[in-house]
Amino acid sequence: MNNIIIKASRNTDSVAKCPLSTQTVAFSHYNHLSGQLPVDPQTKDVVAGDISAQTTQCLDNIKAIVESIGHVMDDVVKITIFLKDITDIAAVDAVYATFFQSYLPTRTVLAVAALPMDKALIQIDAVISNGEGTQPQAPCDLVKVTNNTDNAPKTSVSTQTVAFSHYNNISAQLPIDPKTGSLVSGDVKQQTAQCLKNIKAILQSIDVPIDDIVKVNIFLTDLTNTDAVNEVYSTFFPDSAIARTVGYLPARTVSAATALPMQALVQIDAVVSHGDGTPPQEVEDRHGIVIKANNTTNAPKSSVATQTVAFSHYNNISAQLPISAESGKMITGDVTAQATQCLENIKAILQSIDHVMDDVVKVNIQLKNIADIDAVNDIYTPFFNSDLPARTVIGVSAIPMDALIQIDAVVSNAEGTPPAL
């Protein structure tokens, strides 16, 4: 395997194109898809109709992208669904079931304050397995490994964990007691603990420690609960003696949801390193790849997250707020200044690990005011010199530190992490 793996950035005419993102960006053994709105590829407008019609269009768009690169819907490993109204989930599920009948990906669902295009009620993005790899890797018929355990809540619409190649994706865990199937009683601390217990139980069922997590996404209905969540979170990370010795913490993003399934206060999903890979990779390679965590003084540091965590052929970047690394404070200025600072922070993190912005494969942008997207777009593209990454944009009711914008990213890592790659 060459240590220079090439990104495959592709668009199809079967789906409306966006000048600010690529529909799918493949790197190594994964594809990342841009968030798909319910846009008719012919008219370029949001389709007429209710949530069922819009869900169908989003999934039709994803299917068209997937098929355009020689894949099928069963190659999807993770789906994220953003809704304007969480009560629409039952109607969404009815449509969803027609697209995934023999296999269910991992899944995260939340309601958000706003979506691009006023009439959109839903947006969906996806992560796809890519067994053929990207040049100059040789194609390999890797097998997805799915698992559910009775020690965590099961659902009829998703699989708890789907492993492919050197990563596992964990479905969003709600604070559900797996014995009763109901939300646990108590405040956000009890709910956070249950979410993390569920994740830990899922990992234990596949013989993976919780410190193999490389990225955590926390969704809260009230960001003022963040300190309480962090208090519980710090009792789970770091977990092992080795992780405590080096102070390892996963990359992390905290997002505001207007509502979560079952009226929960918190929901957590995770991306997990998978050193043993999936068949036909050799079992002897189990845990033979090292997680590489890195912080630089040129970007804001956090006591609860690492700026970038690399494993195998990907880096995961913690959500960046418009904070000056020098002052440790929020910069003054409008959304243009704040967006610039977020992207400069990401750029500084990448430079600290000898990477560049064009190594980014996926960008996630959260805006306090969705109408600010045009101003963000004006300064966004100059940060990239070649094909633009896949991208998802949502409007949220709040952002940590009362910021106007927050950005995280997934980055290609051609050199891999030692010793196996």
Side-chain angles (χ1 to χ4, degrees), residues 139-278:
C140 180
D141 291 328
L142 297 172
V143 178
K144 291 199 308 288
V145 177
T146 63
N147 191 71
N148 287 302
T149 174
D150 291 334
N151 295 323
K154 292 182 179 180
T155 172
S156 62
V157 292
S158 66
T159 303
Q160 289 170 354
T161 175
V162 177
F164 184 79
S165 187
H166 288 129
Y167 277 91
N168 283 298
N169 285 272
I170 309 294
S171 283
Q173 293 302 301
L174 291 161
I176 297 171
D177 182 332
K179 294 180 180 179
T180 66
S182 300
L183 288 184
V184 297
S185 58
D187 61 9
V188 73
K189 288 185 178 181
Q190 281 72 41
Q191 291 202 6
T192 301
Q194 188 64 54
C195 292
L196 291 168
K197 286 177 184 176
N198 291 342
I199 288 173
K200 191 170 185 178
I202 292 167
L203 294 180
Q204 287 174 336
S205 74
I206 55 173
D207 196 25
V208 173
I210 196 167
D211 283 320
D212 279 2
I213 292 175
V214 295
K215 175 72 189 295
V216 169
N217 296 299
I218 300 175
F219 306 96
L220 291 170
T221 56
D222 185 350
L223 285 189
T224 63
N225 284 330
T226 302
D227 287 343
V229 169
N230 287 343
E231 185 179 333
V232 176
Y233 188 84
S234 64
T235 67
F236 283 81
F237 300 99
D239 184 57
S240 66
I242 294 174
R244 286 193 294 271
T245 298
V246 298
Y248 173 70
L249 294 165
R252 196 175 87 157
T253 296
V254 177
S255 306
T258 56
L260 293 169
M262 299 181 70
Q263 298 182 325
L265 302 175
V266 60
Q267 174 179 255
I268 304 176
D269 70 19
V271 180
V272 184
S273 61
H274 186 54
D276 40 350
T278 52

Side-chain angles (χ1 to χ4, degrees), residues 295-301 307 320 323-325 344-346 348-349:
N295 286 305
T296 174
T297 57
N298 294 325
K301 292 184 178 181
Q307 290 168 352
Q320 294 301 301
I323 297 172
S324 164
E344 290 288 0
N345 289 344
I346 290 173
I349 292 168

